Amino acid sequence: MDNLMLKLDEAVTGIVGQWDLLTSLLFGSIISFFIYTVINYRDPDAHPMLLARQSQASLVRQEGESAVFRSHSSPHGMPLNSGLGVKDPGDSKWSRGRDGDLRDVWRGFVAGKVDREGKETGEKGKLLTILGSEKVVEHETGDINRQINLIGQHIKQNGGKNVAIYLPNSVEFIATLFSCSFYDLMPILVPYDQPIEKIISLLHESKADAVVAAVGSFPFDVISKSYPALEQLIWVVDEGSKHMDWNEVPKGIGGPVNVSTWQEIIQDAPLSSGNDLPAVDRTMELKNVRAFWPSGELVEYTQANVIAGIAGQLTSVPTTQRIVPSDLVLPVDSLSTMYTLVLTLSALYSNASVALNSVAGESPDLVLATQGLAPTIIIVTGESLAKVLSETAARMTSPVYGVVHWFQTRSLVEDGTMPNSTVFSRFFDSLRPKIGTAPGKLRNIYVSEQIGAHSTPLSAQNLSDLRIYTGARIIYALASSKVAGAVTQSGVFDYRIDEASGKYAHFGAPVTSVEVFLKDTKDYKTTDGSFFGEIHVRGPAVVGEEVSLGANGTIKEDYTLALL
Ligand SMILES: *[C@@H]1O[C@H](CO)[C@@H](O)[C@H](O)[C@H]1NC(C)=O
Ligand SMILES: *[C@@H]1O[C@H](CO)[C@@H](O)[C@H](O)[C@H]1NC(C)=O
Ligand SMILES: *[C@@H]1O[C@H](CO)[C@@H](O)[C@H](O)[C@H]1NC(C)=O
Ligand SMILES: *[C@@H]1O[C@H](CO)[C@@H](O)[C@H](O)[C@H]1NC(C)=O
Ligand SMILES: *[C@@H]1O[C@H](CO)[C@@H](O)[C@H](O)[C@H]1NC(C)=O
């Protein structure tokens, strides 16, 4: 017994004897790390089970095809999400509501600003434009209603049918689009800022007879000569050049072309006219929307396609991350891009505020495009994000930052939570990209890969780094010319990094208005455990019954779509 006590004593003395500074430090840091982990423990943003199975596979599959994959919110056996569920006064409380059309999107935005007595509350969504670099202008909904009416009436009276919109992101762009839907005209979204020959060929292809264009962007003399089908032109004089001499605006010189300016059409009309949107005529046949995909392909979307695209966006993110009236949404890509347009319309319909910047789409510089306001949600191109990423990474080279970055990546990947700012991370705040005027306000970034267009791939690692640099969550969508809105999009809470996924991160699950399946090709086939092939889609947001996206893909183990 004594012997045992003696041995124990010796052992303890031995340990204490060897207990030097290094051990204390090690011991101390292990204890602090443990305490830190316990104190900082947060539930992951999404339950791990939800990330492990992100979409739903059909039970049966056709020969030579994969199973059919759908959003969990749009299960098999139910119709895919096709619309907004608009209820008209007098509709039963239990009715599903109409799918709606573009007029309902605008009416929804206008209604969001009015209380039950019909008075403007001013609390909800606003439409803003950024002029120059800092000046922000708010537009009255009543004024925009008037523009929608007067411009629509003007084009109609002069015999216009197919209206090309050749404008930068602006309130006139939005107003012309809605003019077309209220006055039975076909809007044609023409990519802005193109060389003359290109504009002419786009007008030819789209069969436009009326054009709404920004002064200075549209060489009228040349175009009217080479495009005789042009019957009317409406110039939009931008705020910056309003002081210019009106006589300098080339109007009336068009011979057979009726040339007027937007501002004159509005100012010359009696104040009492054009204030009320036309009564809704449900029997009116709805005109399609023509748009050019960045690859140059002209696509005609039905209004049902566009509305289904919007419905897909409204319902494919978890409730806590949806666009709400307190959001300020800024499209940093051109509204003539269908994906950007659908998201912007979703924001309007959600009563959010929308800010428009004419530089959007022209330069990929995110810092420049967000000057002067503090958006909570932005819609950007992969090119813009890649630029932010490489510029920021070039500034954040200190080894100390490397440690902070490591911890924050760990928070995202291991804990599934967005990293909080800490004393250490705040030290580097001045090096982060300045997106908007209020750091920390930006919460979500929507970015898309457009099949067939110029591509800037973003890998899972790139997206993770961007989450850390910007402090915002990222929704990475796959977009196709054949689908209004997104085809599939990554989960807003999915922060995992799968190195194996290659140069593109995965693209998540189908949105609620689309279902996706893969058809076997020569090299890619679906087998019992794996899904490979050419990506095909069906659903109300799809142009046509069933189309191939012209790309090969795979459905990964977590049932997300990835490009091959
Ligand atoms: C982290 O941030 C979230 C929201 O930004 C906050 O609710 C939470 O309390 C923070 N957690 C810690 C440990 O600071
Ligand atoms: C927008 O506002 C209108 C009117 O207040 C409301 O009925 C509608 O539900 C709101 N839409 C959303 C998506 O919050
Ligand atoms: C253009 O149309 C307007 C409205 O119909 C008309 O008043 C005007 O005279 C027309 N201008 C030309 C040059 O034809
Ligand atoms: C994006 O990720 C890829 C692969 O993960 C990497 O090679 C590339 O350098 C990253 N781009 C930037 C700008 O960091
Ligand atoms: C898809 O893969 C097949 C070979 O299996 C190939 O012939 C085809 O070109 C690929 N499609 C695309 C769009 O790359």
Side-chain angles (χ1 to χ4, degrees):
M1 190 67 187
D2 266 4
N3 211 357
L4 191 66
M5 288 305 280
L6 195 69
K7 277 206 174 129
L8 194 64
D9 189 42
E10 264 172 15
V12 170
T13 319
I15 290 174
V16 173
Q18 284 160 24
W19 190 273
D20 57 10
L21 186 66
L22 187 65
T23 325
S24 317
L25 275 179
L26 265 175
F27 190 69
S29 32
I30 288 169
I31 294 284
S32 344
F33 185 73
F34 181 72
I35 293 175
Y36 171 88
T37 315
V38 170
I39 291 182
N40 280 287
Y41 179 79
R42 284 185 289 155
D43 280 329
D45 292 345
H47 195 284
M49 294 276 279
L50 288 177
L51 297 181
R53 263 298 135 88
Q54 301 199 21
S55 57
Q56 225 183 44
S58 60
L59 292 176
V60 286
R61 66 180 182 93
Q62 306 289 323
E63 187 63 35
E65 294 178 3
S66 72
V68 178
F69 292 85
R70 281 195 178 199
S71 160
H72 282 302
S73 309
S74 220
H76 292 280
M78 305 256 293
L80 286 159
N81 191 357
S82 61
L84 307 173
V86 183
K87 292 202 182 111
D88 295 316
D91 279 359
S92 135
K93 219 166 93 185
W94 317 110
S95 75
R96 218 180 121 244
R98 290 180 295 113
D99 283 349
D101 55 61
L102 283 174
R103 294 171 297 177
D104 295 297
V105 173
W106 181 250
R107 282 179 190 283
F109 180 68
V110 173
K113 296 201 64 180
V114 179
D115 65 16
R116 287 224 179 80
E117 278 79 46
K119 285 212 200 75
E120 296 240 340
T121 58
E123 289 164 10
K124 294 205 175 159
K126 297 179 189 133
L127 200 52
L128 309 165
T129 43
I130 312 172
L131 303 172
S133 65
E134 304 270 301
K135 191 162 165 248
V136 179
V137 178
E138 180 179 343
H139 301 273
E140 293 294 330
T141 317
D143 289 347
I144 307 171
N145 278 346
R146 199 154 175 273
Q147 299 183 19
I148 291 175
N149 285 322
L150 296 173
I151 297 296
Q153 286 161 8
H154 179 92
I155 297 176
K156 191 113 195 138
Q157 273 161 18
N158 286 300
K161 290 191 182 61
N162 303 333
V163 185
I165 307 178
Y166 186 70
L167 294 172
N169 287 4
S170 56
V171 67
E172 288 84 7
F173 188 113
I174 297 280
T176 311
L177 178 69
F178 287 116
S179 286
C180 291
S181 55
F182 280 102
Y183 288 90
D184 192 28
L185 306 163
M186 161 123 56
I188 302 163
L189 315 181
V190 182
Y192 189 62
D193 208 17
Q194 304 288 322
I196 304 186
E197 309 77 52
K198 185 76 185 170
I199 306 177
I200 295 172
S201 88
L202 296 178
L203 292 178
H204 264 291
E205 203 183 338
S206 64
K207 301 195 174 58
D209 48 42
V211 174
V212 180
V215 163
S217 68
F218 190 83
F220 175 64
D221 292 352
V222 186
I223 292 178
S224 61
K225 278 200 202 84
S226 11
Y227 185 63
L230 184 64
E231 288 167 14
Q232 54 175 316
L233 170 65
I234 299 178
W235 288 123
V236 175
V237 183
D238 71 55
E239 296 283 327
S241 23
K242 266 203 179 139
H243 61 272
M244 75 195 264
D245 186 353
W246 286 96
N247 296 323
E248 278 175 27
V249 178
K251 55 194 157 179
I253 53 164
V257 185
N258 186 319
V259 183
S260 24
T261 70
W262 184 283
Q263 284 75 4
E264 275 180 331
I265 296 171
I266 308 300
Q267 279 159 17
D268 292 355
L271 274 181
S272 57
S273 65
N275 291 311
D276 299 313
L277 293 172
V280 176
D281 175 5
R282 298 283 166 229
T283 57
M284 185 170 113
E285 207 188 311
L286 298 169
K287 288 285 190 304
N288 295 343
V289 178
R290 287 191 183 145
F292 290 92
W293 195 245
S295 59
E297 177 190 1
L298 176 66
V299 190
E300 194 160 321
Y301 302 87
T302 63
Q303 290 207 21
N305 292 148
V306 179
I307 293 294
I310 296 172
Q313 284 305 321
L314 294 176
T315 52
S316 297
V317 281
T319 331
T320 56
Q321 291 300 317
R322 290 196 181 152
I323 305 178
V324 293
S326 57
D327 276 315
L328 175 57
V329 179
L330 175 75
V332 186
D333 191 11
S334 168
L335 290 176
S336 61
T337 313
M338 198 31 105
Y339 173 76
T340 309
L341 181 70
V342 163
L343 265 162
T344 307
L345 294 175
S346 310
L348 288 175
Y349 191 71
S350 304
N351 301 325
S353 294
V354 171
L356 302 169
N357 189 340
S358 59
V359 306
E362 283 177 41
S363 143
D365 194 325
L366 205 48
V367 177
L368 202 68
T370 53
Q371 269 176 0
L373 79 178
T376 58
I377 294 179
I378 55 175
I379 306 156
V380 300
T381 58
E383 195 186 354
S384 290
L385 280 190
K387 187 165 183 288
V388 166
L389 178 60
S390 57
E391 286 175 359
T392 313
R395 288 196 296 266
M396 302 282 222
T397 46
S398 104
V400 181
Y401 178 73
V403 177
V404 173
H405 198 84
W406 183 85
F407 268 103
Q408 299 202 321
T409 305
R410 194 177 163 282
S411 160
L412 282 165
V413 177
E414 306 275 318
D415 308 342
T417 57
M418 283 296 283
N420 275 9
S421 75
T422 61
V423 210
F424 303 107
S425 72
R426 271 193 287 272
F427 193 65
F428 297 92
D429 279 355
S430 64
L431 298 177
R432 289 176 202 284
K434 291 187 181 52
I435 304 178
T437 51
K441 269 280 174 73
L442 183 68
R443 65 178 181 94
N444 286 343
I445 299 176
Y446 284 87
V447 55
S448 65
E449 168 66 21
Q450 310 194 326
I451 297 175
H454 168 75
S455 169
T456 312
L458 294 169
S459 68
Q461 179 67 51
N462 294 159
L463 293 179
S464 180
D465 291 344
L466 280 162
R467 285 185 191 100
I468 294 173
Y469 291 149
T470 62
R473 298 189 167 90
I474 300 176
I475 294 168
Y476 193 31
L478 186 65
S480 154
S481 61
K482 296 300 191 317
V483 179
V487 179
T488 66
Q489 64 187 29
S490 67
V492 64
F493 295 134
D494 188 354
Y495 315 133
R496 300 164 309 156
I497 300 179
D498 180 3
E499 301 289 356
S501 65
K503 64 176 180 162
Y504 295 97
H506 72 78
F507 292 97
V511 296
T512 56
S513 48
V514 174
E515 62 182 20
V516 173
F517 62 98
L518 307 175
K519 276 192 182 169
D520 289 355
T521 70
K522 194 159 65 54
D523 303 324
Y524 301 117
K525 297 199 173 6
T526 287
T527 60
D528 277 345
S530 64
F531 308 101
F532 287 93
E534 188 179 326
I535 308 170
H536 282 67
V537 293
R538 279 191 293 250
V542 177
V543 178
E545 284 273 295
E546 175 193 311
V547 297
S548 159
L549 301 191
N552 293 323
T554 176
I555 302 281
K556 305 196 335 169
E557 258 171 25
D558 55 6
Y559 285 7
T560 59
L561 178 69
L563 288 181
L564 287 175

